[in-house]
Amino acid sequence: MTSVKVGSLQKRLNGKSQIDQQAEAEKVGLSLPPTQLLLFGNPKAGTPLMVAEPTIALDLPLKVLAWEATDGKVWVSYNDPNYLKQRFSLSDELVKNIAIIAPLIHQALL
């Protein structure tokens, strides 16, 4: 994924942080295909989830992984809100706070 696409995705998602995993690997003499971890969130959306289930803080802020496979294809991965709902026994009302992730990623990649 080009740095322009990653930057666009980061900006569109109101990104809080970006970790260039490839660059970190290179610092210790290891090789890794382009891999970027983007962290993003909104305290207004995430705080009610953490009040209801403090351990969801393990998955907040939300994360998106942009990575290049060995065949050169670029993939974007994230935890589906329904997975987080099940994992942390969240109510339908609370999961709405993070359900926007898929449409935001889709819009950012267009």
Side-chain angles (χ1 to χ4, degrees):
M1 177 172 269
T2 68
S3 60
V4 172
K5 276 283 194 190
V6 170
S8 171
L9 184 60
Q10 180 80 349
K11 184 176 180 179
R12 194 72 183 248
L13 296 175
N14 190 24
K16 302 296 181 198
S17 186
Q18 177 178 340
I19 301 171
D20 183 337
Q21 305 266 13
Q22 181 184 40
E24 295 300 316
E26 288 174 357
K27 288 179 185 177
V28 294
L30 298 173
S31 174
L32 182 69
T35 306
Q36 301 278 330
L37 182 65
L38 311 173
L39 288 81
F40 67 97
N42 178 327
K44 190 173 183 178
T47 301
L49 283 90
M50 290 184 281
V51 168
E53 181 50 63
T55 58
I56 197 170
L58 290 167
D59 286 287
L60 296 177
L62 294 172
K63 296 157 197 74
V64 175
L65 180 66
W67 54 284
E68 184 176 309
T70 55
D71 63 3
K73 290 184 181 176
V74 175
W75 298 89
V76 175
S77 305
Y78 61 92
N79 285 332
D80 184 276
N82 288 318
Y83 163 73
L84 296 174
K85 176 184 176 183
Q86 180 181 1
R87 180 176 180 196
F88 297 105
S89 301
L90 300 173
S91 69
D92 289 338
E93 192 63 31
L94 283 174
V95 84
K96 288 179 186 177
N97 289 7
I98 56 173
I100 192 72
I101 186 173
L104 282 176
I105 291 170
H106 180 74
Q107 288 174 353
L109 294 176
L110 291 179

